[in-house]
Amino acid sequence: MGLLFRCGNATEYHLSHPLVYPMVLGAQHGLHEAGRPAVLSVCDGSEESDAQAIAMLRRVGAAGVIVVNDAKPATLERVRDAGMPVVWFGVNVWEETGCVRRDEQAAGRVVTDAAIAAGDKRLFIVMAHKKDSNHHSHEGRLAGIKASADRGGL
């Protein structure tokens, strides 16, 4: 199986990111336990990088690809066009099958409930902010935070 991981510039996610590394390691471990070797390919989302990554996965005979981390729309289409089975793992894709996603609303609720249980009366939310960025988790996490804050009277 191929693991296709998108890595942008130095300020974006990379393999040492505390959320990304466990996802990649977990996928690799699960594949190893199933007797399926994992091939990691890192791309930057450019057409050239995507093409090289997909070509490499085909060269080694990958039976499918697990796409880890957010992907640009063009990358999503290139992976779909490659004709290999795909699992979207922590990616900005919502489909009936083949998607492994965190429950972002639950994540927001858990953190907020813990803060309220600890006696906090004010919440301070820190999230990455870029004009052109809207990570797929933001909306769900904020909804979970707001629901718990409302329920807790904050």
Side-chain angles (χ1 to χ4, degrees), residues 5 14 17 23-24 32 35 39 61 66 68 71 76 78 80 83 95 105-106 124-125 130 134 136 139 149 153-154:
F5 173 75
H14 45 81
H17 187 280
M23 288 193 315
V24 172
H32 177 76
V39 177
I66 299 171
V68 181
L76 300 176
R78 287 190 277 272
R80 284 186 172 105
E95 294 179 353
Q105 286 190 16
F124 180 75
I125 302 168
K130 291 187 217 172
N134 186 17
H136 66 268
E139 185 177 324
L154 298 183

Side-chain angles (χ1 to χ4, degrees), residues 17-132:
H17 187 280
L19 297 177
V20 173
Y21 180 72
M23 288 193 315
V24 172
L25 189 61
Q28 187 276 330
H29 178 74
L31 289 168
H32 177 76
E33 290 292 313
R36 307 288 303 215
V39 177
L40 177 64
S41 183
V42 179
C43 64
D44 64 10
S46 69
E47 185 173 355
E48 180 181 2
S49 178
D50 290 349
Q52 288 173 350
I54 292 167
M56 186 274 301
L57 294 174
R58 283 189 172 135
R59 252 189 328 276
V60 299
V65 62
I66 299 171
V67 179
V68 181
N69 201 8
D70 272 349
K72 295 178 180 179
T75 298
L76 300 176
E77 290 310 310
R78 287 190 277 272
V79 170
R80 284 186 172 105
D81 291 346
M84 294 185 280
V86 180
V87 173
W88 308 102
F89 192 58
V91 180
N92 50 321
V93 173
W94 292 98
E95 294 179 353
E96 291 286 324
T97 61
C99 292
V100 178
R101 301 282 303 259
R102 297 179 301 266
D103 183 338
E104 302 297 351
Q105 286 190 16
R109 287 190 307 269
V110 165
V111 169
T112 306
D113 289 347
I116 292 170
D120 293 336
K121 302 292 182 208
R122 292 176 49 182
L123 300 176
F124 180 75
I125 302 168
V126 178
M127 299 178 87
H129 175 71
K130 291 187 217 172
K131 266 196 216 178
D132 60 345

